[in-house]
Amino acid sequence: MPPIKIKHEHSEHSLVDGDDDYISSDSSFYGSSPHRAHLQHLSDTFSPEEHRSASRPTLAALAYEKISNPPPSAPTAELYNPYAGLLHARQLSEHVPAFLVRLPSLTTPASTIGPWIHIANPYSQRRPTDEDRASFTAEAEPLLADFVTCKTELEKTLSGTKLTRALTPLRSHLSSAILARARTHNLTSGKWLLFPMPENVNAVWESVAIGTASGQLGIGAKVGSDEGKGRRIARVCCVYTADFADEGDVRRVLEGLVERGLVGRRYNGAGEGGERGIYYKCDAFTHLGINSGNEWGLSVSMYSSKEMLASSKRKHSA
């Protein structure tokens, strides 16, 4: 091996193989024989598994492990639209702004699409096909007829306060029996009722539609189309929940309407409902034609926004 010459300021030395102070070009790079033997031993006896178990992983190692072994992703919810293919409702392929432009509540004629414009919560797990409306109606209508018969008999002997006292528990029993049969046949939906004036209906419906489509309100919503009744008649807007007995969910949807400025919390005239607030009605009563001033004297509303919000305030302040 040719010697390496290193120039110093006043002399020149040749580094050659040997035991003196001179070393070859290879020896300084690989180390001494004992050192090389020690390194070889470490290499031969190294165990990656033992090293990993005995040492703490670095942040880089942890990051690589997470990237290399990602957690199983949650199954993507299948979007659902009970109004697929229907002209009067929003389609899943239709952006909400485009839907609102296509079917503005204020000016869309009922003669072209019917009395209602619908939108569904595409993330809802509820399926209207689970409902058995025919069986429910077949069982509930005789209950109403029996009440009328009983009421007629009582009116033959009672009047005034005495008649009222006699009918009150019968009405309570009738209402409970109807709701029990509604649950038996999966007819558990209900809705908060808003009554915006025509000049406000598009803005109210836009807020409700966006909240429904994003899954932040209830299972669906609908608003009345233009039936040609003029600008002095309020429109109806319904915001649906899945279960009239699920007071927590009913309250959640109400709070969502309050947050959107659609219902006044303090009942000072701000928001829908003014001093009285708004009311919640179960669909079972709607299917039976039980409306305000009905012949059975049944209370149509299950919940009042005024009472429910006051109850929430008391719970928070307690």
Side-chain angles (χ1 to χ4, degrees), residues 207 216-217 250-262:
S207 184
Q216 297 177 349
L217 287 177
V250 173
R251 187 189 307 273
R252 179 191 63 79
V253 173
L254 173 60
E255 291 284 359
L257 296 174
V258 172
E259 290 172 2
R260 287 165 173 76
L262 302 179

Side-chain angles (χ1 to χ4, degrees), residues 23-84:
I23 57 176
S24 72
S25 60
D26 292 333
S27 61
S28 63
F29 181 81
Y30 291 105
S32 64
S33 295
H35 185 61
R36 291 200 301 271
H38 175 66
L39 293 177
Q40 185 63 49
H41 173 72
L42 292 178
S43 176
D44 293 340
T45 59
F46 177 73
S47 170
E49 291 76 13
E50 293 180 2
H51 176 73
R52 281 196 295 267
S53 62
S55 60
R56 296 179 61 183
T58 63
L59 291 177
L62 291 173
Y64 179 77
E65 179 72 16
K66 190 169 185 178
I67 294 173
S68 303
N69 302 285
S73 57
T76 303
E78 182 180 355
L79 301 184
Y80 174 74
N81 184 14
Y83 309 115

